[in-house]
Amino acid sequence: MIVRREPKLTEAAFRALGPAVVRANFEWPDVLDIMRGNGWAIWNCGSLSWVFTMVNTEGEIEVLLAGGREARKCVGPWETAMRNEPAHKGLTLRIEGRRGWARLLPHWERRGDVLYLKV
């Protein structure tokens, strides 16, 4: 599966991330405000799911939203893409929230409801 960074929010990503926006207690204007700045990315995982990340104030790459069909199949290829991204070297990936992430990424360090992985 090919995972690639999208240059903008596509219609497919918008539809796939919609339920995640609701679950995360975001609203689309919040997401669009983040996209007006720097340090964000939308990762297209084989056109099956999309992951929205941003660099937070601690310099971590934080997963804010993830969604799409067959998203579980995309976790491994997405993680590989994040580890291989040259700009991520030396940074930490961070995922907060849903317990499902912990089951899918058992090798990540868990602190409460937050998962961490040093790249």
Side-chain angles (χ1 to χ4, degrees), residues 4-93:
R4 66 181 183 277
R5 184 177 180 165
E6 295 284 348
K8 63 181 182 171
L9 179 65
T10 64
E11 181 64 30
F14 178 82
R15 283 192 312 272
L17 293 172
V21 169
V22 173
R23 278 192 312 270
N25 292 321
F26 276 109
E27 298 201 12
W28 277 109
D30 301 326
V31 175
L32 297 175
D33 280 346
I34 292 168
M35 293 177 77
R36 286 187 184 95
N38 295 316
W40 62 270
I42 295 177
W43 301 93
N44 177 339
C45 304
S47 296
L48 296 174
S49 68
W50 285 259
V51 179
F52 181 64
T53 63
M54 68 170 277
V55 177
N56 65 22
T57 57
E58 289 83 33
E60 301 164 324
I61 300 162
E62 185 168 355
V63 173
L64 293 181
L65 304 167
R69 56 192 162 108
E70 300 191 51
R72 286 181 181 90
K73 291 181 180 179
C74 299
V75 171
W78 171 80
E79 180 184 0
T80 299
M82 297 300 98
R83 287 174 177 261
N84 292 332
E85 175 65 36
H88 293 174
K89 297 296 180 205
L91 298 177
T92 298
L93 297 171

